[in-house]
Amino acid sequence: MQDLIARASGGGVRAFAAITTNLVDEARCRHSLYPIATAALGRTMTAAILLAANLKTEETITIRIKGDGPLEQVVADARADGTVRGYVHHPQIDLPLHNGKLAVGQAVGNGFIHVTRFTGMKDPFTGSVPLVSGEIAEDVTNYLLVSEQIPSSVALGVLVETDLSVGAAGGFMVQAMPGASDEVLKQLENNIATLPPVSQLIKEGADPAKLFDLLFAGIDYTYLDENPLKFACSCNRERVEKILLSLGKDELNQLAAEGQAELTCHFCSQQYQFSQQEIQALHEK
Ligand code: ZN
């Protein structure tokens, strides 16, 4: 199934559903992630996509999950155009299963979730709240309530297969608008409480329409639209050259003396190589 995000609304409730299986697997391959990191980053990238679903064309959202666990930091950037990128500080850690599941909460630990909205117009706005469990979905739900005063229900799921590939990934976010009736909210709460894990639904073939049918069971709703998603990074050689230039003369001299330089983009693991001649040419700029 193709990666995509869809929107729906009904009964004073709006909902977003994302299928992210391919892009989470791409992140896994790019960063050589072990399963816990795949789950943590996949959930965080999916959350960033869901939060970006309401942005305007030029806007970006960054989620940073920073804890005292062995992963240290999980970062995801999503844009309104449906592109996302991300990384974890320590991609290859391993912990025993916790109740038969990947121990994402333990791998993240105690800390904060920071959400930054870049609007392109004003200065970026960052909201930070303490982590609830480090399991990401609960942390994002709590962030939306505490920092943005939006009561929401967020579900995120990544299913890692025994060969380490991503078998299914995705999630949904449901938000009640001020006009939603108690009856609708009660129905919604029941629907969400009885829903199987979202990664299981996607693994079984559920698309956003199917997810909305389950979420809005008993509530009239309209399927608004859907858009493709993909892993993409904004890095390129020109930008990396600028970073090298910003190091200043002494550092460039040293790099040139060492022979060559290799820089790796945090976000996508793309490598950029610079020969001695190229560094010297930059030095002369
Ligand atoms: Zn990159």
Short mmCIF file of all heavy atoms in Angstrom, two decimals, residues 16 43 46-48 50-51 135-145 150-157 170-175 192 198:
data_model
loop_
_atom_site.label_atom_id
_atom_site.label_comp_id
_atom_site.label_asym_id
_atom_site.label_seq_id
_atom_site.Cartn_x
_atom_site.Cartn_y
_atom_site.Cartn_z
N PHE A 16 -7.46 12.55 11.23
CA PHE A 16 -6.38 12.40 10.26
C PHE A 16 -5.86 10.98 10.39
O PHE A 16 -5.70 10.49 11.51
CB PHE A 16 -5.24 13.37 10.57
CG PHE A 16 -5.67 14.80 10.70
CD1 PHE A 16 -6.15 15.29 11.91
CD2 PHE A 16 -5.62 15.66 9.61
CE1 PHE A 16 -6.57 16.60 12.03
CE2 PHE A 16 -6.03 16.99 9.73
CZ PHE A 16 -6.51 17.45 10.95
N ARG A 43 7.22 6.01 14.95
CA ARG A 43 6.10 6.66 15.65
C ARG A 43 6.25 8.18 15.62
O ARG A 43 5.28 8.90 15.41
CB ARG A 43 6.05 6.19 17.11
CG ARG A 43 5.65 4.73 17.27
CD ARG A 43 5.61 4.37 18.75
NE ARG A 43 5.61 2.92 18.97
CZ ARG A 43 5.70 2.37 20.18
NH1 ARG A 43 5.78 3.12 21.26
NH2 ARG A 43 5.69 1.05 20.30
N THR A 46 5.59 9.59 12.16
CA THR A 46 4.15 9.54 11.87
C THR A 46 3.42 10.64 12.63
O THR A 46 2.52 11.30 12.08
CB THR A 46 3.59 8.14 12.23
OG1 THR A 46 4.33 7.15 11.51
CG2 THR A 46 2.11 8.03 11.88
N ALA A 47 3.83 10.89 13.89
CA ALA A 47 3.21 11.96 14.67
C ALA A 47 3.46 13.31 14.02
O ALA A 47 2.55 14.15 13.92
CB ALA A 47 3.76 11.95 16.10
N ALA A 48 4.70 13.53 13.54
CA ALA A 48 5.03 14.81 12.91
C ALA A 48 4.17 15.02 11.66
O ALA A 48 3.66 16.12 11.39
CB ALA A 48 6.51 14.86 12.56
N LEU A 50 1.16 13.78 11.15
CA LEU A 50 -0.21 14.06 11.57
C LEU A 50 -0.33 15.52 12.03
O LEU A 50 -1.30 16.21 11.71
CB LEU A 50 -0.64 13.11 12.70
CG LEU A 50 -0.81 11.64 12.28
CD1 LEU A 50 -0.94 10.74 13.50
CD2 LEU A 50 -2.04 11.47 11.37
N LEU A 51 0.68 16.01 12.78
CA LEU A 51 0.62 17.40 13.24
C LEU A 51 0.79 18.37 12.08
O LEU A 51 0.29 19.49 12.13
CB LEU A 51 1.72 17.66 14.29
CG LEU A 51 1.60 16.95 15.62
CD1 LEU A 51 2.63 17.48 16.60
CD2 LEU A 51 0.22 17.11 16.23
N GLU A 135 6.37 6.53 25.23
CA GLU A 135 5.83 5.66 24.17
C GLU A 135 5.38 6.46 22.95
O GLU A 135 4.82 5.92 22.01
CB GLU A 135 4.66 4.83 24.73
CG GLU A 135 5.07 3.83 25.80
CD GLU A 135 5.75 2.58 25.25
OE1 GLU A 135 5.60 2.30 24.05
OE2 GLU A 135 6.44 1.90 26.03
N ILE A 136 5.57 7.73 22.97
CA ILE A 136 5.36 8.72 21.89
C ILE A 136 3.89 9.11 21.71
O ILE A 136 3.57 10.31 21.80
CB ILE A 136 5.95 8.30 20.51
CG1 ILE A 136 7.32 7.62 20.67
CG2 ILE A 136 6.02 9.50 19.57
CD1 ILE A 136 8.50 8.45 21.03
N ALA A 137 2.98 8.18 21.45
CA ALA A 137 1.58 8.57 21.18
C ALA A 137 0.98 9.30 22.40
O ALA A 137 0.37 10.36 22.25
CB ALA A 137 0.73 7.36 20.82
N GLU A 138 1.19 8.74 23.59
CA GLU A 138 0.68 9.39 24.81
C GLU A 138 1.34 10.74 25.03
O GLU A 138 0.71 11.68 25.51
CB GLU A 138 1.00 8.52 26.04
CG GLU A 138 0.10 7.32 26.22
CD GLU A 138 0.63 6.41 27.33
OE1 GLU A 138 1.35 6.90 28.21
OE2 GLU A 138 0.32 5.22 27.28
N ASP A 139 2.62 10.81 24.68
CA ASP A 139 3.37 12.05 24.88
C ASP A 139 2.86 13.15 23.95
O ASP A 139 2.76 14.30 24.34
CB ASP A 139 4.86 11.78 24.66
CG ASP A 139 5.36 10.68 25.58
OD1 ASP A 139 5.17 10.79 26.79
OD2 ASP A 139 5.92 9.69 25.07
N VAL A 140 2.54 12.76 22.70
CA VAL A 140 2.02 13.74 21.74
C VAL A 140 0.61 14.18 22.16
O VAL A 140 0.27 15.36 22.11
CB VAL A 140 2.02 13.16 20.30
CG1 VAL A 140 1.32 14.09 19.33
CG2 VAL A 140 3.45 12.88 19.84
N THR A 141 -0.21 13.22 22.60
CA THR A 141 -1.58 13.54 23.06
C THR A 141 -1.51 14.54 24.21
O THR A 141 -2.24 15.54 24.23
CB THR A 141 -2.29 12.25 23.53
OG1 THR A 141 -2.29 11.32 22.44
CG2 THR A 141 -3.73 12.54 23.93
N ASN A 142 -0.63 14.27 25.17
CA ASN A 142 -0.50 15.15 26.33
C ASN A 142 0.05 16.52 25.92
O ASN A 142 -0.40 17.56 26.42
CB ASN A 142 0.43 14.50 27.37
CG ASN A 142 0.52 15.31 28.63
OD1 ASN A 142 -0.49 15.64 29.24
ND2 ASN A 142 1.74 15.67 29.02
N TYR A 143 0.99 16.52 24.97
CA TYR A 143 1.53 17.80 24.48
C TYR A 143 0.40 18.66 23.88
O TYR A 143 0.29 19.85 24.17
CB TYR A 143 2.63 17.58 23.43
CG TYR A 143 2.88 18.82 22.62
CD1 TYR A 143 3.68 19.84 23.13
CD2 TYR A 143 2.23 19.04 21.40
CE1 TYR A 143 3.84 21.03 22.45
CE2 TYR A 143 2.39 20.22 20.71
CZ TYR A 143 3.19 21.21 21.24
OH TYR A 143 3.32 22.39 20.57
N LEU A 144 -0.44 18.02 23.05
CA LEU A 144 -1.51 18.77 22.38
C LEU A 144 -2.48 19.36 23.41
O LEU A 144 -2.95 20.48 23.26
CB LEU A 144 -2.27 17.87 21.40
CG LEU A 144 -1.50 17.54 20.11
CD1 LEU A 144 -2.20 16.42 19.34
CD2 LEU A 144 -1.38 18.78 19.23
N LEU A 145 -2.75 18.61 24.47
CA LEU A 145 -3.68 19.08 25.49
C LEU A 145 -3.07 20.19 26.34
O LEU A 145 -3.66 21.26 26.51
CB LEU A 145 -4.09 17.91 26.40
CG LEU A 145 -5.14 18.26 27.45
CD1 LEU A 145 -6.46 18.63 26.79
CD2 LEU A 145 -5.36 17.08 28.41
N ILE A 150 -5.62 21.46 22.82
CA ILE A 150 -6.48 20.73 21.88
C ILE A 150 -6.67 19.31 22.41
O ILE A 150 -5.73 18.51 22.37
CB ILE A 150 -5.86 20.66 20.46
CG1 ILE A 150 -5.46 22.06 19.98
CG2 ILE A 150 -6.83 20.01 19.48
CD1 ILE A 150 -4.68 22.05 18.68
N PRO A 151 -7.86 18.98 22.93
CA PRO A 151 -8.08 17.59 23.36
C PRO A 151 -8.06 16.68 22.14
O PRO A 151 -8.81 16.89 21.18
CB PRO A 151 -9.48 17.61 24.00
CG PRO A 151 -9.99 19.00 23.87
CD PRO A 151 -9.06 19.80 23.03
N SER A 152 -7.17 15.70 22.15
CA SER A 152 -6.98 14.84 20.98
C SER A 152 -6.80 13.40 21.43
O SER A 152 -6.51 13.13 22.59
CB SER A 152 -5.70 15.22 20.22
OG SER A 152 -5.61 16.60 20.03
N SER A 153 -6.99 12.51 20.48
CA SER A 153 -6.60 11.13 20.71
C SER A 153 -5.64 10.76 19.60
O SER A 153 -5.96 10.91 18.42
CB SER A 153 -7.84 10.23 20.69
OG SER A 153 -7.43 8.90 20.85
N VAL A 154 -4.43 10.34 19.97
CA VAL A 154 -3.42 10.01 18.97
C VAL A 154 -3.03 8.54 19.13
O VAL A 154 -2.76 8.10 20.25
CB VAL A 154 -2.16 10.90 19.14
CG1 VAL A 154 -1.10 10.53 18.11
CG2 VAL A 154 -2.52 12.38 19.03
N ALA A 155 -3.02 7.80 18.03
CA ALA A 155 -2.53 6.41 18.06
C ALA A 155 -1.43 6.30 17.01
O ALA A 155 -1.55 6.84 15.91
CB ALA A 155 -3.66 5.44 17.73
N LEU A 156 -0.34 5.64 17.38
CA LEU A 156 0.79 5.47 16.47
C LEU A 156 1.24 4.02 16.57
O LEU A 156 1.23 3.46 17.66
CB LEU A 156 1.95 6.37 16.89
CG LEU A 156 1.65 7.87 17.02
CD1 LEU A 156 2.77 8.57 17.78
CD2 LEU A 156 1.45 8.49 15.64
N GLY A 157 1.62 3.44 15.44
CA GLY A 157 2.07 2.05 15.51
C GLY A 157 3.09 1.72 14.45
O GLY A 157 3.00 2.19 13.31
N GLY A 170 1.89 3.42 10.85
CA GLY A 170 0.90 4.47 10.60
C GLY A 170 0.28 4.94 11.89
O GLY A 170 0.76 4.61 12.99
N GLY A 171 -0.78 5.71 11.75
CA GLY A 171 -1.44 6.21 12.95
C GLY A 171 -2.61 7.09 12.62
O GLY A 171 -2.93 7.32 11.44
N PHE A 172 -3.27 7.55 13.67
CA PHE A 172 -4.36 8.51 13.45
C PHE A 172 -4.41 9.53 14.58
O PHE A 172 -3.84 9.30 15.66
CB PHE A 172 -5.72 7.80 13.30
CG PHE A 172 -6.17 7.03 14.52
CD1 PHE A 172 -6.72 7.68 15.62
CD2 PHE A 172 -6.05 5.65 14.55
CE1 PHE A 172 -7.13 6.97 16.74
CE2 PHE A 172 -6.46 4.92 15.67
CZ PHE A 172 -7.00 5.58 16.76
N MET A 173 -5.03 10.65 14.30
CA MET A 173 -5.22 11.70 15.30
C MET A 173 -6.67 12.19 15.16
O MET A 173 -7.12 12.50 14.06
CB MET A 173 -4.26 12.86 15.02
CG MET A 173 -4.40 14.03 15.97
SD MET A 173 -3.05 15.24 15.75
CE MET A 173 -3.55 16.01 14.21
N VAL A 174 -7.37 12.18 16.28
CA VAL A 174 -8.77 12.60 16.29
C VAL A 174 -8.90 13.79 17.23
O VAL A 174 -8.38 13.75 18.34
CB VAL A 174 -9.68 11.45 16.79
CG1 VAL A 174 -11.14 11.87 16.76
CG2 VAL A 174 -9.48 10.20 15.95
N GLN A 175 -9.56 14.85 16.77
CA GLN A 175 -9.70 16.05 17.59
C GLN A 175 -11.14 16.53 17.59
O GLN A 175 -11.77 16.65 16.54
CB GLN A 175 -8.79 17.17 17.05
CG GLN A 175 -7.32 16.77 17.14
CD GLN A 175 -6.38 17.79 16.57
OE1 GLN A 175 -6.73 18.52 15.64
NE2 GLN A 175 -5.17 17.84 17.11
N ILE A 192 -12.79 4.17 19.88
CA ILE A 192 -11.33 4.16 20.04
C ILE A 192 -10.91 3.09 21.04
O ILE A 192 -9.93 2.37 20.82
CB ILE A 192 -10.81 5.56 20.45
CG1 ILE A 192 -10.99 6.55 19.28
CG2 ILE A 192 -9.34 5.50 20.87
CD1 ILE A 192 -10.74 8.00 19.63
N VAL A 198 -3.27 0.02 15.88
CA VAL A 198 -3.32 0.57 14.53
C VAL A 198 -2.34 -0.14 13.58
O VAL A 198 -2.65 -0.34 12.40
CB VAL A 198 -3.13 2.11 14.56
CG1 VAL A 198 -1.73 2.50 15.00
CG2 VAL A 198 -3.45 2.73 13.21
#
